[in-house]
Amino acid sequence: MGGARAPPQGDLTTLSGEDGYEGRIYFGENSPSYSIVGKAGEGSNDVELDLPRGDDGSTTTTYDGADGVSVGGIFNKVLYAVKFGEPNIVLSGRVNENSKILYDREPQRRVEKAAPWLTVDNDALPAVVDGRVVWIVDGYTTTDQFPLSNSESFDEMTDDSLADDNPFQTVPTDEINYIRNAVKATVDAYDGTVTLYAWDEEDPMLQAWMGAFPGTVKDRSEIPDALLDHMRYPEDMFKVQRYQLASYHVDDANDFYEGNDRWEVPADPNDASSLQPAYRLSVPSDDPLVPDTFSLTSVYTPANRQNLAAFLQVNGDASSEDYGEFRARRLSSQSQVAGPGQIANQIQSDEDVTEALLPYSRNDISTIYGNLITLPVGESLLYVQPLYSIRTAGSGNYPVLRFVAVSFGDDRVGIGQTLAQALADVLDVGPINEEVEGPDEGGTDGGDGGEGEQPTEPTGTLEEQIRSALSDADAAFEEANAALAEGDLGTYGDKVAEGQELVETALELAQGLPGGGTDAGDGATDEPAAEPTE
């Protein structure tokens, strides 16, 4: 049984390391519980399935990584036949002296085996580093012995389920009152090699474990730059901090103990039994000279209410100097900004949305409402929701993006086939697919004007400037998709960034329209970075 292969897109030279690109994956999140690899016998051909590569069109391969246990001898055959309940391990003639058995193949499981003193994050990130696919896994040091601190169940704090508690359930055994993202680990997707890197080097628990097991954890300075660029803020850590901040954002003792200003994470609009998940977004900066921040984000509503209370983000770029910095945009209690559940209801009940989806509401086609994303724009908030259709009959069907719905301002919903078209609809600035006049006759100049040329000042009415910016954004996104289809990731990233900047420009201009935007209240305030849970 062979490993899956990750086929590269575009020019291989952008992925290859010194030894070329290794796309075969024998260790991953969806790997079988075990696989037997190796030559079928002396002088035999490769028998493990592979994707075609090279000019010979070969579709087979043989694993030659370091991991794996020899299973050629009868003793090992019997042991593993019993372990996995598979008599063919003993009976098959293909299991010979060249055979190895691979198991414990999930990235999190391998890190737990290598460092059982770590609590491992549930989400592993695949990345291509120096021509090899690696899984990036975050590891935590935890304890319930931190002095004068409240303990909570780790599973409950990171669980997205809203199912009612069982009154007969046992007391949690995973309560903690201290957590640090002490280690970032990698698992090689081809041979399963686990590498541990110290991340929070000031963590006393990590220092103690490194003293007990010297040489098992590498220094933070040894993390390659190519790997650091892929590292991100861990999701389970964010959920723990999100859980605690819902109560501990209160700075008045009486309000805290009386529960007057408690927050809660709202239910997922598409699944009432689950909390709305955290999203990774590129959040625009309030300062035009500061680039957008790759962030892990979430929203809060007041306890037992549906209106929005706050938007929370943490800098998720591990290579940034501000990595781990929290910012909470707290809304005024008088603003009564609609929360995710209310916005989802508005979108689903909007007449224009219903009419647009009517052709995709037949017996053999159903509509899927995608994740509802909240994004701060200036002093306002923008909600975005993709709408998909899927054919229910037959097999092998997949969702197709049909429309994008947006909400911006009080009770206003827009819909279009692209984000820019939906924004033009909600802002009521007219269609954007028509030819847009140049800057001398109205609109905005989206270019840089060339070397030594000053950018052209925006002219025309406010609506014309918004329509021009959205038209340019739509064109940039189309160019990005074309570049992605050709495997040109550099151009794709540049064009996406260009389109996002133009959308932000249009939304900032929209603040000047009558009733433009949703008041986001008190503005953003900095919250402390990751600290022990107290």
Side-chain angles (χ1 to χ4, degrees):
M1 181 182 297
R5 171 174 288 280
Q9 300 292 327
D11 187 359
L12 266 179
T13 58
T14 62
L15 297 174
S16 298
E18 294 181 358
D19 300 323
Y21 172 67
E22 177 54 79
R24 288 173 290 179
I25 297 176
Y26 285 83
F27 295 84
E29 293 181 311
N30 295 315
S31 298
S33 57
Y34 75 94
S35 291
I36 296 178
V37 296
K39 294 282 188 181
E42 288 297 333
S44 64
N45 295 324
D46 298 336
V47 295
E48 298 165 26
L49 295 180
D50 193 9
L51 288 180
R53 58 175 176 168
D55 297 332
D56 59 358
S58 173
T59 59
T60 57
T61 186
T62 292
Y63 172 81
D64 60 358
D67 193 85
V69 179
S70 175
V71 73
I74 187 62
F75 182 71
N76 282 5
K77 287 183 181 181
V78 172
L79 286 180
Y80 285 107
V82 173
K83 175 180 174 65
F84 294 109
E86 179 51 73
N88 284 324
I89 295 178
V90 176
L91 301 177
S92 175
R94 285 203 168 178
V95 182
N96 57 75
E97 65 276 5
N98 300 315
S99 301
K100 286 183 175 182
I101 188 168
L102 307 177
Y103 54 99
D104 288 339
R105 303 167 70 180
E106 300 82 4
Q108 292 93 334
R109 178 67 170 164
R110 294 192 68 78
V111 174
E112 290 172 344
K113 287 281 190 176
W117 40 272
L118 287 175
T119 300
V120 178
D121 192 273
N122 288 313
D123 187 23
L125 168 70
V128 179
V129 179
D130 293 332
R132 299 182 73 88
V133 180
V134 296
W135 296 93
I136 302 174
V137 183
D138 287 276
Y140 311 116
T141 50
T142 61
T143 183
D144 61 353
Q145 300 297 314
F146 196 81
L148 305 177
S149 297
N150 183 49
S151 296
E152 297 281 355
S153 165
F154 180 79
D155 283 345
E156 289 182 6
M157 289 188 288
T158 58
D159 187 11
D160 289 333
S161 174
L162 278 173
D164 294 336
D165 293 337
N166 183 349
F168 302 105
Q169 67 185 10
T170 59
V171 176
T173 59
D174 65 337
E175 290 192 341
I176 61 171
N177 60 9
Y178 176 97
I179 180 172
R180 290 287 182 93
N181 183 199
V183 170
K184 288 189 180 290
T186 63
V187 178
D188 191 287
Y190 179 69
D191 62 16
T193 300
V194 177
T195 306
L196 306 176
Y197 295 100
W199 185 251
D200 187 349
E201 295 182 306
E202 301 300 319
D203 177 24
M205 291 189 66
L206 175 62
Q207 294 172 358
W209 285 115
M210 290 176 67
F213 301 100
T216 58
V217 181
K218 294 186 177 182
D219 294 338
R220 179 168 175 164
S221 60
E222 296 185 52
I223 299 177
D225 290 340
L227 175 60
L228 183 64
D229 288 341
H230 289 285
M231 290 181 172
R232 60 184 185 175
Y233 200 83
E235 194 165 308
D236 282 351
M237 184 79 171
F238 179 75
K239 289 181 180 179
V240 169
Q241 293 168 310
R242 179 179 70 173
Y243 181 95
Q244 295 297 324
L245 186 63
S247 300
Y248 285 92
H249 71 276
V250 178
D251 53 14
D252 182 273
N254 290 332
D255 285 340
F256 177 82
Y257 286 108
E258 293 174 6
N260 293 334
D261 192 20
R262 294 287 176 92
W263 293 344
E264 61 185 17
V265 180
D268 187 337
N270 298 324
D271 183 2
S273 65
S274 299
L275 296 175
Q276 190 174 34
Y279 295 118
R280 298 189 184 274
L281 301 172
S282 184
V283 179
S285 169
D286 296 332
D287 186 346
L289 300 179
V290 177
D292 296 351
T293 304
F294 176 68
S295 304
L296 193 54
T297 68
S298 184
V299 295
Y300 289 110
T301 58
N304 302 316
R305 295 169 63 187
Q306 293 192 39
N307 59 289
L308 205 63
F311 175 87
L312 179 67
Q313 71 178 93
V314 60
N315 188 318
D317 183 359
S319 61
S320 168
E321 294 181 357
D322 297 325
Y323 170 82
E325 179 182 270
F326 277 77
R327 290 178 64 84
R329 185 183 295 266
R330 184 169 183 170
L331 278 67
S332 169
S333 58
Q334 287 79 33
S335 63
Q336 292 297 309
V337 176
Q342 295 169 317
I343 293 297
N345 289 335
Q346 289 180 13
I347 291 175
Q348 293 183 27
S349 59
D350 184 82
E351 292 183 1
D352 292 339
V353 173
T354 302
E355 183 178 350
L357 293 176
L358 193 59
Y360 307 100
S361 302
R362 304 197 304 267
N363 291 335
D364 59 338
I365 300 178
S366 63
T367 300
I368 298 176
Y369 290 83
N371 294 331
L372 181 66
I373 306 296
T374 308
L375 190 64
V377 180
E379 295 300 319
S380 300
L381 292 168
L382 172 69
Y383 286 97
V384 181
Q385 185 172 40
L387 307 177
Y388 304 89
S389 70
I390 185 171
R391 189 173 297 276
T392 56
S395 60
N397 298 320
Y398 57 89
V400 177
L401 178 64
R402 297 298 182 183
F403 299 101
V404 177
V406 300
S407 176
F408 188 69
D410 297 332
D411 301 323
R412 289 189 292 173
V413 174
I415 187 171
Q417 293 184 334
T418 65
L419 174 60
Q421 292 176 14
L423 289 172
D425 182 36
V426 77
L427 297 175
D428 195 21
V429 295
I432 64 170
N433 288 333
E434 298 176 356
E435 184 177 350
V436 181
E437 297 176 343
D440 293 334
E441 300 174 319
T444 60
D445 182 5
D448 58 10
E451 185 177 355
E453 184 178 340
Q454 295 298 321
T456 305
E457 289 294 328
T459 59
T461 67
L462 192 59
E463 290 187 356
E464 288 173 340
Q465 294 178 38
I466 294 172
R467 188 165 64 249
S468 176
L470 291 175
S471 295
D472 292 342
D474 217 20
F477 288 134
E478 288 183 6
E479 292 177 20
N481 289 333
L484 181 62
E486 296 176 359
D488 187 353
L489 298 182
T491 301
Y492 169 77
D494 292 341
K495 289 299 179 181
V496 167
E498 179 184 332
Q500 289 176 338
E501 184 176 351
L502 288 164
V503 166
E504 292 163 19
T505 298
L507 292 174
E508 289 170 1
L509 289 170
Q511 308 284 329
L513 293 174
T518 300
D519 183 11
D522 300 337
T525 57
D526 289 337
E527 297 289 345
E531 294 289 344
T533 303
E534 299 182 349

